[in-house]
Amino acid sequence: MADPNILSTAKPAFDVDRIRREFPVLSQTINGKPVVYLDNAATTQKPRRVSERVFRFDTEEYGTVRRGAYRLCERSTQLYEEARKKVAAFMGTPDSSEIIFTSGTTQSINLVAYSFGKRFIQPGDEVIISNIEHHANTVPWQVVCEDRKAVLKVIPVNDRGELILEEYDKLLSGKTRIVAVNHVSNALGTVNPVKEIVRKARAAGARVLIDGAQSTPHIKLDVKDLDCDFYTFSGHKMYGPSGIGGLYARKEMLEAMPPYVTGGDMIRQVTLEKTTYAPPPMKFEAGTPPISQVIGLGEAIDYLNEIGMDKIAEYEHSLLEYGTQLLENIEGLRIIGTAREKASILSFHLDAVHPHDVVTLLDQEGIAIRGGHHCAQPTMIRFNVPATARASVSFYNKYEELDLLADSIRKIIKMFS
Amino acid sequence: MSYNNELYQQVILDHNRKPRNFRKVEDATHSCHGVNPLCGDDIVVYLKVDDRNIIQDISFEGSGCAISKASSSLMTTHLKGKNIDEARVCFHEFQKMVLGEMDPDKQEHHLGKLSLFMGVREYPSRAKCATLAWHTLTGALDRKAEGISTE
């Protein structure tokens, strides 16, 4: 059972019951038990208003964007560009042409790896990533390095799962073209010191991409203050639709980089001899975009702004601290990733039970968590585990749900002993 | 979480805790390495088959979840003494059972105690855990030198 001393820990005021009423999925039952959704690092549930906004757009306002002079198209284009402005403001840039819509973080990183690589990475140059990246921020750089005959360098981590910055300093050199690291590790929850990472990279003359898939829903962003060149995010991890996400990129980079996908809408003029490209952001948005999803993303951002990212961060931090204390007290459980700065994620390994058995047995209690390598196999190798079980919290979670998680884990351990 | 869990039955928990034939057959005639890259399950199945195609000895080594370990363990106890053709029939029936295409309560089969794994059909994502040992066995019988992968 939960330790009463933990239960008395001071908690920030946050009306979670009111929040939960916005998420119909959370009031369902699975196997006759209330849904306890703790897989927010994989994808977040949607508040009713996001789905309703998309429905209203699809049924009353829908038209293509940037391709016609009739009313529905004008209105649709206006809403689409308003959503881009919302994203820009949310990320901290006053210039919405620095926001490119993509299908999500994976595509955003592939875009940068391909386009930046083609223009700026030469044989013998170096790219730096870290040991705790998602495969989406690993494989594109392996591919581009192989293609450009460049060298991939990796920042190691300590046993807590924190980047070893002294080693990073040693990797940086005049050969470093770009540093690509996550803001928050999806496998461990480590919050990386991205501002310091950017400052050091700039001093060495290198560009920086921050994979923000896990940070965007949890941390108030300011890309201009961070001074990074690229910042990526996924809509479905921040209460918006799936299939939409984006990329913040410094204007000068977007102007210098060649397009990634070519076709309609990204051109200025096409003749059979030569094509000139549209200015950013359109240069990087070939084809009809996922219009409805963009509208939904804009609504999700309005929703997050109304609650307030500072309040969200404060409450989620309190949930994470509470969950950490609960799990730390379970004998036979090891938390993987104990960085001093963490967000949302509780990855763990049980001595006696494989993560997939943990996940299946928790599912029988209505609790949804992830088990596996989390698309971060180099991280698993570093921590010498084949996989972990991972609970990840959102502001719609309750302390009581973490109590249930901890109690259920205890039962599983007992069952396997 | 009941102790009469349909998937995690006592026999399965017991074979997970104390897997049978968990060793290497030193004079194996067949062996194969099998992995499930999705969850990191990683096993080797060893067989000693005589000239009448009878499985004289069968064993496994490796690591994995309770379902894959218990399935490997029970497979070895079930197949020892059977011939290769019977083993292949069992694999076919076992696979159909965990995919929900064969009901051991209603249809004739040769699975004996292995029908315990019927509960897996409620968990499609776990079918690969239950069949890894069997795929690896087939890889050994077919002499797949490169090993097998469930993905």
Side-chain angles (χ1 to χ4, degrees), chain A residues 31 360 363-364, chain B residues 5 7 98 119-128:
Chain A
N31 298 327
T360 297
D363 176 58
Q364 294 180 355
Chain B
N5 197 298
L7 184 57
V98 298
V120 174
R121 66 187 175 182
E122 301 296 327
Y123 301 86
S125 68
R126 307 300 303 277
K128 284 174 182 166

Side-chain angles (χ1 to χ4, degrees), chain A residues 232-293:
Chain A
T232 67
F233 66 94
S234 296
H236 72 97
K237 293 191 201 286
M238 52 192 288
Y239 312 94
S242 57
I244 186 67
L247 167 70
Y248 155 80
R250 202 186 287 276
K251 186 87 170 258
E252 68 196 67
M253 298 310 301
L254 291 175
E255 281 166 352
M257 281 160 40
Y260 173 51
V261 177
T262 58
D265 225 26
M266 51 76 69
I267 51 89
R268 189 187 302 277
Q269 192 179 33
V270 178
T271 66
L272 290 176
E273 290 73 34
K274 187 174 170 56
T275 293
T276 50
Y277 303 127
M282 285 162 69
K283 178 179 168 184
F284 294 95
E285 290 182 11
T288 300
I291 308 167
S292 310
Q293 286 79 352

Side-chain angles (χ1 to χ4, degrees), chain A residues 170-409:
Chain A
K170 288 183 210 161
L171 295 177
L172 276 169
S173 78
K175 288 189 203 165
T176 312
R177 286 295 149 267
I178 189 163
V179 177
V181 293
N182 56 44
H183 195 159
V184 173
S185 151
N186 76 306
L188 307 176
T190 308
V191 180
N192 286 317
V194 283
K195 201 165 175 182
E196 194 177 349
I197 288 168
V198 173
R199 186 175 53 74
K200 289 180 168 181
R202 298 206 83 72
R207 300 288 177 174
V208 182
L209 174 141
I210 308 289
D211 166 0
Q214 295 297 336
S215 49
T216 318
H218 305 294
I219 297 172
K220 191 175 173 63
L221 297 180
D222 188 338
V223 289
K224 291 297 174 192
D225 180 57
L226 269 182
D227 202 27
C228 58
D229 299 282
F230 306 99
Y231 199 101
T232 67
F233 66 94
S234 296
H236 72 97
K237 293 191 201 286
M238 52 192 288
Y239 312 94
S242 57
I244 186 67
L247 167 70
Y248 155 80
R250 202 186 287 276
K251 186 87 170 258
E252 68 196 67
M253 298 310 301
L254 291 175
E255 281 166 352
M257 281 160 40
Y260 173 51
V261 177
T262 58
D265 225 26
M266 51 76 69
I267 51 89
R268 189 187 302 277
Q269 192 179 33
V270 178
T271 66
L272 290 176
E273 290 73 34
K274 187 174 170 56
T275 293
T276 50
Y277 303 127
M282 285 162 69
K283 178 179 168 184
F284 294 95
E285 290 182 11
T288 300
I291 308 167
S292 310
Q293 286 79 352
V294 167
I295 304 306
L297 175 63
E299 186 70 15
I301 286 176
D302 285 346
Y303 176 64
L304 290 173
N305 284 334
E306 282 171 31
I307 303 171
M309 288 309 293
D310 289 331
K311 277 203 159 144
I312 286 172
E314 184 191 31
Y315 178 63
E316 287 177 345
H317 186 71
S318 170
L319 281 174
L320 180 64
E321 291 268 291
Y322 183 77
T324 303
Q325 290 176 54
L326 287 176
L327 296 198
E328 272 173 349
N329 281 313
I330 297 176
E331 206 178 317
L333 181 150
R334 178 162 66 109
I335 294 179
I336 310 289
T338 50
R340 283 159 287 195
E341 294 281 328
K342 279 183 70 174
S344 175
I345 288 161
L346 269 168
S347 231
F348 59 93
H349 196 269
L350 302 183
D351 294 341
V353 195
H354 190 280
H356 281 162
D357 297 318
V358 177
V359 169
T360 297
L361 286 161
L362 287 175
D363 176 58
Q364 294 180 355
E365 298 294 293
I367 303 172
I369 71 163
R370 170 91 181 261
H373 53 59
H374 316 296
C375 298
Q377 285 179 322
T379 313
M380 300 295 109
I381 292 166
R382 167 63 181 80
F383 286 89
N384 201 25
V385 286
T388 72
R390 180 189 70 183
S392 45
V393 300
S394 151
F395 57 80
Y396 48 57
N397 289 124
K398 299 162 48 153
Y399 299 100
E400 295 89 313
E401 293 179 310
L402 297 170
D403 290 333
L404 184 66
L405 173 72
D407 290 345
S408 301
I409 292 170

Side-chain angles (χ1 to χ4, degrees), chain A residues 89-109:
Chain A
F90 187 76
M91 301 193 77
T93 172
D95 182 355
S96 67
S97 72
E98 292 188 316
I99 302 298
I100 310 293
F101 286 123
T102 67
S103 64
T105 291
T106 297
Q107 197 195 4
S108 297
I109 297 173

Side-chain angles (χ1 to χ4, degrees), chain B residues 56-149:
Chain B
Q56 291 292 350
D57 199 2
I58 174 168
S59 71
F60 79 107
E61 287 180 323
S63 65
C65 65
I67 302 298
S68 87
K69 216 191 233 177
S71 174
S72 307
S73 174
L74 280 153
M75 177 186 82
T76 60
T77 58
H78 190 66
L79 294 185
K80 203 182 277 190
K82 292 202 165 50
N83 72 39
I84 287 178
D85 292 337
E86 288 169 328
R88 289 190 193 270
V89 168
C90 287
F91 172 41
H92 184 66
E93 290 177 353
F94 187 85
Q95 195 169 28
K96 286 186 85 161
M97 177 183 70
V98 298
L99 294 174
E101 292 164 9
M102 192 274 280
D103 186 342
D105 287 343
K106 293 184 183 147
Q107 283 158 274
E108 212 180 303
H109 62 81
H110 307 82
L111 296 175
K113 214 166 27 167
L114 300 177
S115 62
L116 277 171
F117 287 94
M118 181 166 65
V120 174
R121 66 187 175 182
E122 301 296 327
Y123 301 86
S125 68
R126 307 300 303 277
K128 284 174 182 166
C129 308
T131 54
L132 176 64
W134 291 91
H135 282 291
T136 312
L137 167 86
T138 310
L141 293 176
D142 295 343
R143 300 200 181 280
K144 290 225 166 107
E146 71 279 11
I148 69 102
S149 167

